[in-house]
Amino acid sequence: MKKVITYGTFDLLHWGHINLLKRASELGDHLTVAISSDEFNELKNKEAYHSYENRKMILESIRYVDKVIPENTWEQKIQDVIDHDIDIFVMGDDWKGKFDFLKDYCEVIYLPRTVGISTTKIKTDLFTVQNG
Ligand code: C2G
């Protein structure tokens, strides 16, 4: 069984996230998503609208996702790949090159980001609508 893993905050889930999860799931037979904890988001200078528990529950409802685990640190990826017997690590190509150290442990694939949507764009557009 070919196992895939990807990481992210997945806040205000949108079609760009779904495109990524769909393509990642198509690379293997099983997709694990490591979802950033609220504490780890602070390290990423990100503040998610939805809590970790609610973002996890939403991800677990997606047909492309088989397992959701917490992402608490930058350093956990090698251990995750080993512990979960991962064959392929996938991230959007805004991260291109950043996780090449994992190539010693699994295949590393960066997929093109979906253009025209992002959590930041959603927040900005809503703010503009509300504030003219
Ligand atoms: N993504 C995408 N297209 C978009 C928006 C996001 O393909 N329009 C991808 C990102 O490239 C990432 C995934 O969807 O692979 C999740 O996006 P974020 O929640 O923004 O993830 P990020 O904050 O970049 O966290 O250790 C890695 C980090 O946890 C990644």
Side-chain angles (χ1 to χ4, degrees):
M1 172 167 72
K2 188 173 283 192
K3 296 184 74 180
V4 184
I5 195 167
T6 191
Y7 291 72
T9 299
F10 294 99
D11 191 32
L12 301 184
L13 198 72
H14 54 67
W15 42 281
H17 292 137
I18 300 300
N19 276 340
L20 187 284
L21 294 171
K22 181 175 187 296
R23 285 174 295 162
S25 72
E26 288 166 352
L27 291 169
D29 309 296
H30 183 283
L31 174 61
T32 298
V33 180
I35 184 168
S36 308
S37 64
D38 294 330
E39 296 75 16
F40 183 59
N41 273 330
E42 282 177 42
L43 292 183
K44 291 197 285 186
N45 296 317
K46 269 194 165 185
E47 188 178 348
Y49 179 80
H50 295 307
S51 68
Y52 167 78
E53 285 308 323
N54 288 333
R55 288 182 286 114
K56 180 172 186 287
M57 181 249 272
I58 292 168
L59 272 189
E60 285 170 340
S61 73
I62 298 171
R63 70 174 64 190
Y64 304 120
V65 176
D66 297 289
K67 185 178 181 63
V68 179
I69 64 172
E71 179 184 31
N72 295 304
T73 68
W74 288 111
E75 296 76 21
Q76 72 182 72
K77 292 185 174 68
I78 291 175
Q79 200 56 51
D80 288 347
V81 167
I82 294 166
D83 292 352
H84 296 273
D85 195 22
I86 299 296
D87 301 289
I88 306 174
F89 168 89
V90 175
M91 284 301 293
D93 62 5
D94 47 315
W95 292 93
K96 191 166 181 58
K98 298 288 192 308
F99 302 114
D100 287 357
F101 63 87
L102 289 170
K103 284 180 177 173
D104 296 336
Y105 303 89
C106 62
E107 205 179 330
V108 174
I109 295 176
Y110 300 102
L111 295 172
R113 269 177 77 93
T114 301
V115 176
I117 185 68
S118 68
T119 304
T120 306
K121 178 174 173 18
I122 294 170
K123 290 177 181 176
T124 309
D125 290 355
L126 284 174
F127 180 83
T128 308
V129 162
Q130 283 163 1
N131 297 279

